[in-house]
């Protein structure tokens, strides 16, 4: 008693789901709107299909992850990890982290995602184990950036260092949130 209907956890979850899917639809529409005002954005049907599939995969994975735990830190950790993975894939496909998007060295960041996916499967949604999986993913990201710099790949070493640091920080941020979730 005393609580309104909007305070019910299932209703809040429903509102979050609607907001997330509406946000994804908006993201999918942004390139189409940009194409109306500039020639700098030139997406084809395949680009929209790929981007839409990435959004569905990310949000579907988030929904699955949040059903494993109702804790806010767990949801935040899962959301950050999935957003980081999404950004890594999107950047690699759009412009590439090392040189252009077609530079073969960018393929090694697929190994970063493989480390993360294998780690998540190993962790079986247990927050502390998820934290370790994300630490391993951060280490794989750092290794990828280090290899790229040591090999002299790409024409902007400072950009590779900055992006590597950004992704490592995001992976570690997710690991920290999972660790906090384990203590809830």
């Amino acid at each position: 008693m005393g609580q309104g209907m909007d305070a019910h956890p299932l209703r809040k979850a429903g509102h979050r789901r609607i907001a997330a899917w509406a946000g994804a639809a908006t993201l999918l529409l942004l390139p189409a709107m940009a194409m109306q005002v500039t020639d700098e954005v030139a997406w084809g049907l395949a680009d929209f299909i790929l981007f839409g599939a990435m959004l569905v995969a990310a949000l579907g994975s988030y929904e699955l992850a949040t059903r494993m735990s109702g804790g806010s830190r767990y949801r935040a950790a899962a959301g950050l990890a999935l957003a980081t993975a999404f950004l890594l894939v999107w950047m690699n496909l759009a412009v590439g982290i090392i040189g252009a998007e077609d530079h073969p060295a960018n393929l090694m960041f697929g190994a970063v995602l493989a480390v993360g996916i294998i780690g998540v499967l190993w962790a079986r949604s247990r927050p502390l184990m998820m934290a370790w999986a994300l630490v391993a993913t951060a280490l794989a990201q750092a290794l990828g950036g280090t290899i790229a710099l040591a090999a002299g790949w790409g024409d902007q070493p400072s950009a590779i260092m900055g992006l590597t640091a950004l992704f490592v920080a995001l992976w570690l941020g997710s690991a920290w949130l999972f660790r906090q979730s384990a203590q809830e």
Side-chain angles (χ1 to χ4, degrees):
M1 302 238 334
Q3 291 182 340
M5 284 187 83
D6 286 340
H8 193 274
L10 291 177
R11 185 171 293 267
K12 284 183 182 179
H15 290 170
R16 280 193 301 265
R17 287 182 69 211
I18 291 169
W21 287 100
T26 302
L27 278 176
L28 190 56
L29 288 175
L30 287 177
M33 293 186 317
M35 288 171 55
Q36 304 304 310
V37 295
T38 180
D39 292 334
E40 296 293 318
V41 179
W43 281 30
L45 180 60
D47 297 314
F48 283 101
I49 291 171
L50 178 61
F51 191 60
M54 288 173 55
L55 289 168
V56 167
L59 281 173
S61 297
Y62 180 73
E63 284 198 18
L64 181 63
T66 57
R67 289 178 189 201
M68 303 296 177
S69 172
S72 60
R73 289 183 181 149
Y74 191 96
R75 285 193 310 268
L80 181 56
L82 287 165
T84 304
F86 181 89
L87 186 60
L88 182 63
V89 171
W90 190 20
M91 285 185 70
N92 252 330
L93 291 175
V95 295
I97 292 175
I98 301 169
E101 68 273 7
D102 58 350
H103 194 293
N106 284 311
L107 294 174
M108 81 175 140
F109 293 110
V112 172
L113 293 176
V115 167
I117 291 167
I118 291 167
V120 165
L121 293 173
W122 167 75
R124 291 182 293 178
S125 302
R126 295 171 293 181
L128 189 55
M129 303 310 282
M130 294 287 280
W132 284 112
L134 272 295
V135 167
T137 306
L139 290 172
Q141 184 81 49
L143 180 61
T146 302
I147 290 170
L149 291 171
W153 294 330
D155 55 353
Q156 297 180 345
S158 60
I160 294 170
M161 287 182 359
L163 287 171
T164 299
L166 171 68
F167 280 107
V168 166
L170 291 170
W171 295 125
L172 291 177
S174 179
W176 180 80
L177 286 166
F178 275 119
R179 175 102 167 97
Q180 294 298 308
S181 173
Q183 297 172 353
E184 275 185 341

